[in-house]
Structure formats: structure tokens, C-alpha cells
Amino acid sequence: LRETGSNLLSINKGAVAMGDVESAVHSMLFSLRCSFYGGENLSLLLTSHVELLRAMKRYRELVKVALIDVVMIETLTGMKSNAFDVFDGTIPTENFILADAKVKQNIVAIELVHTRRFFTSFWFGDYQSAIESDKAASSVPSSKMLKLWTIYRECY
């Protein structure tokens, strides 16, 4: 994961140099996710996510995915980054992201929210809630396709 994250950072730097903002944003988001699963310092990751969110303001759907990652880090650290404030109340909570994803049938965001809830419930010892979140995440059709977080979810 660390090597993948490093390669994604290289892609990010190249995209920034060429002015390819969308590729730069995507590569940085996935680099941060690799860093999370690779065991990087959560406080530093939270700061990096908030900086990225400010740069991502015009990519609203991708921002919602990044905010899910922020909620997970905030929950694990007990720190508040006020990341939702970057969007002046237009994206107020994770529950809003989930409801919006259901309306728009954004299965990636739906799966990510439930997976985030699974991880934090499991790590905090709330196994009943973790089981419910895992069932919700696993019921999403996209959950059958292999992704970084599905590997971790299945191992628990």
C-alpha cells in the first residue's frame, strides 16, 4: 500500500504540473486512502484531507466520497476538522451524503458510508452495529467488485 500511495503521489505531482486538476484530485484522494490503510498518522491524514477538500470544492460528488474518509478519521481520533464547513452547509453531514447517494443511486458512496460505519463500529467494539453495517455494505451490488476497502472489510 505504501508503494501504491507513493506512485499515486507521483501521478498527482505530474498531473498538477500538467494542469490536469481532476487527475490530481483523484490521485491525491486515493493516495490518502492508501496511507490510511497503510497505517499513517491519522492526525496528519486528517489535515491532508481537509486541505484536499478545499481544492476539490467544484467536484461535488468526489468531495462527498472524501468526506466519508474524513468522518472515519475524525471518529477514530476524536478530533473535529470542521471539514463540512468548507461547503457552507450544502453538505452538512454523513447522513446527508448517504441519503443523497441513495436518491442518485451512487452505489460507491452508499457502500463507502456503510463500510466506514462497519470499520468504526468494529474497532470500537460495537459488534452488533458492525454486523448491521457490513450487511448493508454487502447488499450493495458494487460490493461484489474487489476494492481496497472490501479486502479489509472481509478480513474482519
Side-chain angles (χ1 to χ4, degrees), residues 17-145:
M18 293 185 305
D20 183 356
V21 177
E22 190 169 353
S23 293
V25 165
H26 277 87
S27 59
M28 180 56 81
L29 175 61
F30 292 120
S31 172
L32 290 172
R33 188 168 290 152
C34 286
S35 295
F36 173 82
Y37 288 109
E40 290 296 322
N41 179 290
L42 295 179
S43 297
L44 295 176
L45 284 175
L46 185 58
T47 301
S48 296
H49 267 89
V50 172
E51 289 173 14
L52 179 62
L53 287 170
R54 286 189 178 95
M56 296 172 65
K57 279 182 100 167
R58 66 181 176 152
Y59 299 100
R60 306 247 343 134
E61 294 307 308
L62 189 58
V63 160
K64 292 172 188 172
V65 171
L67 281 166
I68 296 165
D69 291 349
V70 168
V71 170
M72 179 156 36
I73 295 169
E74 286 180 341
T75 302
L76 293 172
T77 63
M79 298 170 60
K80 284 289 181 196
S81 66
N82 300 318
F84 286 94
D85 295 347
V86 172
F87 304 97
D88 302 319
T90 60
I91 306 173
T93 64
E94 183 185 63
N95 285 332
F96 173 87
I97 293 170
L98 181 59
D100 184 60
K102 287 178 179 179
V103 167
K104 294 178 179 175
Q105 297 183 342
N106 181 343
I107 55 177
V108 171
I110 294 168
E111 183 183 0
L112 271 174
V113 168
H114 290 301
T115 297
R116 196 271 323 146
R117 291 175 178 177
F118 163 77
F119 282 134
T120 53
S121 295
F122 185 88
W123 290 330
F124 284 114
D126 184 356
Y127 301 117
Q128 187 59 43
S129 180
I131 289 168
E132 292 168 15
S133 295
D134 182 54
K135 285 180 183 175
S138 298
S139 71
V140 177
S142 69
S143 70
K144 307 306 180 237
M145 294 184 296

